[in-house]
Amino acid sequence: LPVKAAAALRAVGETWMTEAKRRVPVDTGTLRSSGVVLQSGTGRSVEVRLVFGGPAAPYAQIVHENLTARHLVGQSKYLESVVLERKGNLARELAKYL
């Protein structure tokens, strides 16, 4: 079961990342394309992280946190908004993959 649970957690992370990428403000596309799902650990201790940065690292947090910026495409809090909206359904989403 730990392997299936880890795969389910990763699948949910990928689903959430896809939605977060839809919400990322786009100028050159670098920030949007920097979004990745990272998985670490084995057995009963697995961690999945949703991360934006890479080549966009110098400004990823600034774009995420700037609530006064007006974007033609996307929004601020592009990652946080997904997590806040979906965290209450995490168990249900995991169950779909188990």
Side-chain angles (χ1 to χ4, degrees):
L1 185 63
V3 172
K4 285 186 177 186
L9 190 57
R10 173 69 183 233
V12 171
E14 293 289 351
T15 301
W16 290 17
M17 176 56 74
T18 297
E19 180 57 32
K21 285 183 175 186
R22 287 188 188 111
R23 299 180 188 192
V24 171
V26 176
D27 182 17
T28 65
T30 302
L31 180 56
R32 178 177 280 170
S33 65
S34 76
V36 294
V37 177
L38 304 174
Q39 184 173 339
S40 61
T42 58
R44 296 191 177 274
S45 179
V46 175
E47 176 179 283
V48 171
R49 296 185 301 135
L50 284 65
V51 179
F52 284 89
Y59 58 87
Q61 184 176 3
I62 294 166
V63 173
H64 188 269
E65 298 299 320
N66 186 348
L67 300 177
T68 61
R70 298 291 171 240
H71 305 285
L72 296 176
V73 175
Q75 66 182 59
S76 60
K77 301 290 188 175
Y78 47 87
L79 180 56
E80 182 179 336
S81 63
V82 173
V83 173
L84 292 176
E85 288 169 15
R86 295 188 175 207
K87 69 180 182 178
N89 292 322
L90 178 59
R92 191 172 312 130
E93 289 189 54
L94 287 170
K96 286 191 311 189
Y97 295 101
L98 289 175

